[in-house]
Amino acid sequence: MQSIYDLIYEFERDYQQTPVKVVDGYEFDQSATLKRICLYQNAQFLDGSKDEFGEKVFFDITTPAVRNAAKNIDLDTKDIQFRAINGKSNYFRSWLYRRQAKVWMRKHKIARKLNSIPEEVTGVGSVVVKRVKGPQVFEFVDLTNTANDASAKCLKDGGVAERHYYTPGELRRIGGESGWDMDAVEQAISDFLVHKQENFVGEQRLKARERGNAHYICVHEYNGYAEKGHVTGNEDDAEMILGSFIVVLPHDVGSKKKGGRSQDPKLGLTLYKTEISDDEWMYKELHFRKVKKRWLGRGLYEECFPMQETENTRSNWMLLAMRLSQIIVFQTRESTVLQNILTDVANGSILKFAKGQGDVLSRLDTQVKDNASNNLMGNQVNRVMQGLTNAYEVTTGGNLPSGTPFSLGQLMNQNANKLFDFIREDFGLFLEEIFNDWVLPELEKSLSEESILEIVDQEELEYIREHYTTWKVWDSIKGAVMSNHKLTRDKVQIIDKFVRSQIEKLESIFLKIPKSFLSFEKRVECVVTDEHESPAMMQTLSTVLQMVSQNPAILDNPAFERILDMAQLSKIDLMPKAAPAAAAPNPAAVPAPAV
């Protein structure tokens, strides 16, 4: 059986050296494409910033289009909504859950991570997030340090190999937090301090001149299909499974000896290995524009490769022409004239030429003559860029042509943003998967213990007390039924009165929420909305207020409560403020309640 080190090495080598054949005559090199995108993001040329004419200037026309697309598909935590699936009492719990969840997401900076996704996916074409332990929930995968099957439909189909670079201290800390084999971790650190090599050398001692000057230990993480024997250690176990491996490759991995094998596999280090199930797959991916027969989505940088190259060429040639137009050059028929009129002629000098020579000293015309062709090419590049990136005036916030009717401008804006709305739908589904599969379980852990809810006013306290009391009463009744298996109506009424009397004694401005109170059936939805939908929301609110004004009793209707929950509202949002008491004391004279 091939060693896990050779498997990972060959997987990464094939990714780097073997392009994907899309059709006859066209091969797609994902590694080279990502490198070019990275250079363009940093306004750098593929062949360097200098040529035979001197320094070149990079005229970045793609990044503004990427940012424009990112702002038009942006989604935030405000668009993430926690909803109860059914049950009248659950509508209140979902309101309470949303309140707790917003605080939790703000505390763990989930919004900042969400803000990084739009620009990354629009520019590169794909973004990959990876599940991590703890309240951080997920982190972004650096595609430039990642190898995968470039022809696969999704990452799981072909596997993923990541390279992580750690200092000895970082490796020791991360290994301890992640449950890696700490003996192997310490061995990797000790070997690195001796040989200063990214890979593991082991018992083989290098000569002094062969020792490296690496600053980091290179740790390879492979998640994908492999033979089960790589996990169990049994070479005869050839069943293909999903596995997760974290290794330090041998120093001479890939160098073949007799028999077609690399050196002793024991010279590599396996820091962690395990079999994983489909549900434990730790990657989720989002693509800007999916193209057949390749994994990497086609982002705006790649879409605009030809136009970016054309604009750089055109503008740099124009700079050269302008530089030439500023040069002062003379011509003459006289061979004995001065070589440089700027240095060889002093102020007040008189130039003398032989008789009969005529106009023997004249200035050459170096002005740029073909501005029309240059401007035509620039306009053509702009038109193509607008079509490729959907960066028209109505989407960028630019001024429309003078005299454009307002209604026509609205229609143009709506149609131009249809493409972004389509992409935002995919983005919304991507966020729903992340929150339902990863964020929600982590959030449940933090809310599994009894939590304290701060009450902001009397109306909110009474509203919460009402629902909390109802839940507590029925929770007590269910407990009595489970213990006695039968319960009379009189006993139910006694339990009801007793529980309510106990709750009525609560006068604190803080309410203790039991851990079981937020355990209800729920789901996360990402509502794809933006500014142009606000009039529809205003109309919905106006309709709701009109219905409540005409029939206040509708607030207790279960169907109406469900409507409010779908609109991210609750009864507390519509209940009128209580009138202040006639003999209310002066607030300044009342001390603040103790917390």
Side-chain angles (χ1 to χ4, degrees), residues 151-313:
S151 63
K153 290 184 178 180
C154 63
L155 291 176
K156 187 189 293 186
D157 291 344
V160 183
E162 297 183 66
R163 290 188 180 188
H164 308 284
Y165 294 89
Y166 299 126
T167 63
E170 289 174 336
L171 181 60
R172 184 178 289 113
R173 175 180 58 82
I174 293 175
E177 294 174 353
S178 304
W180 295 352
D181 184 348
M182 292 307 296
D183 290 337
V185 168
E186 293 298 333
Q187 192 175 354
I189 294 174
S190 175
D191 186 84
F192 170 78
L193 295 176
V194 172
H195 300 289
K196 291 294 183 178
Q197 295 280 349
E198 288 186 350
N199 294 335
F200 181 66
V201 176
E203 297 177 357
Q204 175 186 357
R205 293 304 175 202
L206 298 179
K207 298 178 181 179
R209 66 176 182 274
E210 294 177 338
R211 294 176 182 173
N213 57 355
H215 296 87
Y216 303 99
I217 305 170
C218 183
V219 176
H220 298 253
E221 177 182 0
Y222 174 75
N223 297 286
Y225 288 97
E227 295 177 86
K228 192 172 184 178
H230 291 309
V231 176
T232 62
N234 182 5
E235 293 188 0
D236 297 329
D237 198 345
E239 178 188 357
M240 298 300 293
I241 61 166
L242 267 179
S244 180
F245 304 89
I246 299 176
V247 304
V248 180
L249 296 183
H251 176 66
D252 66 344
V253 64
S255 61
K256 299 298 181 180
K257 289 190 174 184
K258 293 181 180 180
R261 294 289 184 90
S262 63
Q263 70 173 16
D264 188 351
K266 294 181 181 179
L267 292 181
L269 288 175
T270 300
L271 309 184
Y272 179 81
K273 60 180 179 180
T274 186
E275 181 179 356
I276 59 176
S277 64
D278 289 339
D279 295 335
E280 295 174 320
W281 183 249
M282 63 286 294
Y283 298 100
K284 292 188 183 296
E285 56 201 84
L286 173 66
H287 305 283
F288 183 75
R289 178 191 162 202
K290 192 64 175 173
V291 181
K292 291 183 179 180
K293 298 187 178 181
R294 52 177 272 187
W295 173 83
L296 184 67
R298 192 171 173 91
L300 295 187
Y301 279 106
E302 186 179 355
E303 291 275 14
C304 299
F305 277 168
M307 291 301 101
Q308 181 65 70
E309 186 176 350
T310 301
E311 179 63 19
N312 282 337
T313 301

Side-chain angles (χ1 to χ4, degrees), residues 419-461:
L419 175 61
F420 294 130
D421 291 342
F422 174 75
I423 298 171
R424 294 175 86 235
E425 290 178 5
D426 286 341
F427 189 13
L429 294 174
F430 175 69
L431 292 184
E432 283 186 15
E433 288 186 14
I434 291 178
F435 273 77
N436 281 306
D437 296 346
W438 294 348
V439 177
L440 211 60
E442 194 65 35
L443 181 58
E444 294 283 357
K445 293 179 184 178
S446 65
L447 299 181
S448 62
E449 302 297 330
E450 292 184 343
S451 55
I452 301 298
L453 176 69
E454 183 179 0
I455 307 303
V456 297
D457 55 32
Q458 182 67 23
E459 287 79 8
E460 195 173 59
L461 175 61

Side-chain angles (χ1 to χ4, degrees), residues 388-404:
L388 290 173
T389 63
N390 200 39
Y392 300 101
E393 289 84 355
V394 290
T395 64
T396 61
N399 294 327
L400 294 175
S402 178
T404 303

